[in-house]
Amino acid sequence: MLPVLSLIVLIPLLFSAFAFLTKTREQARVVALMGTLITLILTLYMYFSFDSSSAAMQFEELASWIPSLGINYHLGVDGISMPLILLNAIVIPLLILFTWDDVRSTPNRFYGLILAMQGAVIGVFVSLDFFLFYVFWELTLIPLFFMVNIWGGPNKRHASIKFFIYTHVASLVMLLGIFGLYFAAWDQTGVANMGIAHLMSHFPMIGSGIARDAIFLALLFGFLVKLPIVPFHSWLPDAYAEAPTAGSVLFILLKIAGYGIFRVILPMLPATGTPDMMITILGLLGAVSIVYGAFLALSQKDLKRMVAYSSVSHMGFVALGAAGLVALSISGAMFQQFSHGLIMSIMFMSVGVIQASTGTRVINDLGGLATKMPKLAVIMMLAFMASLGLPGLTGFIAEFMVFTFSYVNVPTFVILALFGVVITAGYHLWAMQRTMFGVYNGKIGEVFDLSNVQTFSMAVIALLVLYFGLNPSPVLDMMITGSNEIVSLMAAMGV
């Protein structure tokens, strides 16, 4: 059997090394495009061979790695991880095309880091061993740090260091939680095993409820900071705003934190010492993030920072849907991750084009761009409408499922979060009106519309936003199967 999971991790990493060795921009971008297209072809093969009705791990690979420590090379994919792998495999080659005409210093490093990021992120999604999971988790920090630090804006050093410190410290706290699980399971069985499923199955057997809560909160903290969620979000606007456009899109595709909540946190939640308190924490943080993030976005004068804060708000839906604890609310949270990756990719690409063309991101300095940039106006409008939850687009599907089905178990938090929807509509419509419509501001000079490769890249993603908004089943069906399995694991844990 073709080791497709190993290939979709190793090919981006291998082509990353090739890209670093290239001498010219043309060589670097061709190598990058080839690597990402091969990864896309393998991912599509896996997607069309995937059984959406089965909750079992598929395309599984297992080999002993460090037997004395119970560490194995164990890979697999299911309905939780498959849509996120597909998201990355589709968007990243389009991102390569989007940056095709960019003139950057050291293009070999630029494209090499994009490929390295893709391999590391997919590695997180397919790892079924906690050691391997953590290795790939930490590897994602490196390309993003250098992407911001080398090609970022005026405050790039501050933003990159802040991002690295925040997320690395959170990862170390998460590592303590992993060690807690590992040694507790070893003490119970006398066998060393770092398998995710193995460690989670022994979590309820830890005698102390306080110990279970401590392990759970350590893992949850690591995921929430990376998501990020209020009040752990302050690294995000700086990192997103200072990153180059490609870096901002890579941040958006970094869905490993939400994935960790579905894969690890939810199945463990019923076995914690105080499950009701943990549900309350998750639901409250989700609702507050939706509302507070929306207010922060509304107050921004910088278009890119507004989009960044809107991302904080939208990640609140992931936490709120997870707190709903029913299969369809969890599926809605999963679909929010998929939808958010598509929509925000377009939004950050749009901001990048506006900044490159006008030299500014200040909303009040723009205006009337639709008359000069009609192609951008159409695509950007679709993305903004999807982000505010217009029916027929992916954002509506995710938000509808989260609100409707989370109400069953956390109605108070759903009602609170509904206020955020009004604010979200407000700042999206205000920003579009100020940037694209009205009288053109002649002070910004002549501007240029999307190039052909930019139009193609953004239009493909926009069509996917429309397609999955009208027909979510191709990814939603596997998400629902995965969510049903999560609910079953939660029941087995002690509910």
Side-chain angles (χ1 to χ4, degrees):
M1 181 179 176
L2 184 69
V4 64
L5 296 183
S6 291
L7 290 173
I8 63 172
V9 174
L10 293 176
I11 285 174
L13 296 177
L14 182 62
F15 274 81
S16 172
F18 291 158
F20 275 108
L21 296 174
T22 58
K23 302 298 182 181
T24 66
R25 180 169 66 110
E26 288 71 21
Q27 291 173 352
R29 65 190 185 185
V30 168
V31 167
L33 185 61
M34 286 177 59
T36 55
L37 286 177
I38 294 171
T39 303
L40 174 60
I41 291 169
L42 289 170
T43 302
L44 290 175
Y45 160 76
M46 186 169 63
Y47 170 77
F48 288 114
S49 303
F50 189 86
D51 182 2
S52 297
S53 64
S54 173
M57 287 293 169
Q58 301 178 43
F59 304 96
E60 205 165 352
E61 301 174 31
L62 176 61
S64 180
W65 186 6
I66 311 175
S68 60
L69 298 178
I71 297 173
N72 296 304
Y73 180 78
H74 192 188
L75 308 180
V77 65
D78 62 1
I80 303 172
S81 51
M82 185 68 242
L84 297 176
I85 297 171
L86 182 67
L87 171 68
N88 275 266
I90 290 174
V91 173
I92 290 186
L94 294 172
L95 177 62
I96 301 295
L97 287 175
F98 180 83
T99 62
W100 198 256
D101 295 325
D102 280 3
V103 178
R104 294 188 180 275
S105 60
T106 58
N108 57 334
R109 298 179 188 177
F110 180 78
Y111 289 110
L113 290 173
I114 293 176
L115 287 161
M117 178 66 182
Q118 182 179 35
V121 169
I122 294 177
V124 173
F125 294 147
V126 300
S127 295
L128 300 181
D129 181 277
F130 251 131
F131 180 83
L132 195 61
F133 176 92
Y134 189 79
V135 168
F136 283 121
W137 178 280
E138 286 290 82
L139 281 177
T140 62
L141 291 177
I142 299 172
L144 290 172
F145 172 81
F146 286 109
M147 185 68 70
V148 178
N149 193 267
I150 298 174
W151 297 282
N155 298 315
K156 60 186 179 182
R157 297 192 184 280
H158 169 76
S160 60
I161 292 172
K162 185 177 182 179
F163 155 71
F164 189 88
I165 291 175
Y166 264 64
T167 55
H168 183 57
V169 169
S171 298
L172 292 177
V173 174
M174 183 179 75
L175 182 61
L176 294 176
I178 295 173
F179 280 151
L181 275 175
Y182 177 64
F183 288 117
W186 196 346
D187 184 60
Q188 293 165 18
T189 63
V191 177
N193 190 328
M194 284 290 284
I196 294 177
H198 172 81
L199 296 186
M200 289 169 55
S201 68
H202 286 83
F203 177 68
M205 303 175 193
I206 299 173
S208 169
I210 295 175
R212 293 199 301 275
D213 278 351
I215 291 171
F216 181 85
L217 287 173
L219 293 167
L220 180 63
F221 178 75
F223 295 137
L224 291 183
V225 172
K226 197 92 161 195
L227 192 58
I229 209 92
V230 174
F232 312 117
H233 67 287
S234 64
W235 65 265
L236 182 145
D238 291 333
Y240 280 35
E242 294 302 319
T245 300
S248 300
V249 174
L250 290 179
F251 273 115
I252 287 300
L253 297 177
L254 192 71
K255 300 303 182 188
I256 57 179
Y259 170 76
I261 290 174
F262 304 132
R263 175 69 69 204
V264 178
I265 293 299
L266 287 184
M268 291 172 58
L269 192 151
T272 57
T274 53
D276 290 341
M277 183 182 76
M278 300 304 171
I279 295 168
T280 299
I281 290 173
L282 195 58
L284 178 62
L285 291 179
V288 169
S289 292
I290 292 170
V291 177
Y292 185 62
F295 274 113
L296 289 174
L298 182 63
S299 67
Q300 298 306 306
K301 297 179 181 179
D302 183 309
L303 184 61
K304 195 171 187 181
R305 291 185 75 87
M306 187 212 79
V307 174
Y309 277 115
S310 76
S311 186
V312 174
S313 180
H314 284 90
M315 286 298 94
F317 285 96
V318 176
L320 182 61
L325 299 182
V326 296
L328 289 177
S329 74
I330 297 169
S331 300
M334 290 181 184
F335 197 79
Q336 173 68 356
Q337 288 228 110
F338 183 83
S339 169
H340 182 262
L342 295 173
I343 295 169
M344 288 294 164
S345 294
I346 304 175
M347 291 177 71
F348 277 116
M349 287 177 179
S350 299
V351 174
V353 171
I354 290 173
Q355 184 178 10
S357 184
T358 67
T360 183
R361 300 188 316 229
V362 178
I363 296 173
N364 289 333
D365 290 345
L366 301 169
L369 292 181
T371 59
K372 305 288 185 178
M373 309 171 77
K375 291 187 289 185
L376 175 65
V378 171
I379 296 174
M380 185 174 171
M381 174 64 82
L382 183 141
F384 271 54
M385 293 300 102
S387 185
L388 64 82
L390 186 72
L393 303 173
T394 56
F396 173 77
I397 301 292
E399 293 181 16
F400 175 81
M401 292 183 70
V402 169
F403 281 139
T404 302
F405 299 105
S406 295
Y407 189 83
V408 174
N409 287 321
V410 286
T412 302
F413 300 138
V414 170
I415 292 171
L416 174 62
L418 283 170
F419 289 101
V421 175
V422 179
I423 308 302
T424 298
Y427 69 74
H428 278 97
L429 294 174
W430 175 80
M432 280 298 300
Q433 190 275 329
R434 288 298 187 94
T435 57
M436 286 293 162
F437 303 110
V439 179
Y440 177 70
N441 183 2
K443 293 181 180 180
I444 60 178
E446 288 299 318
V447 298
F448 50 87
D449 204 352
L450 298 174
S451 67
N452 289 335
V453 288
Q454 289 173 334
T455 302
F456 176 79
S457 301
M458 296 175 69
V460 170
I461 302 174
L463 289 173
L464 291 174
V465 170
L466 178 61
Y467 172 75
F468 286 114
L470 296 172
N471 180 32
S473 295
V475 293
L476 187 58
D477 286 350
M478 60 182 71
M479 292 175 181
I480 292 174
T481 301
S483 299
N484 284 323
E485 179 65 12
I486 291 172
V487 172
S488 298
L489 289 172
M490 290 169 64
M493 281 281 188
V495 173

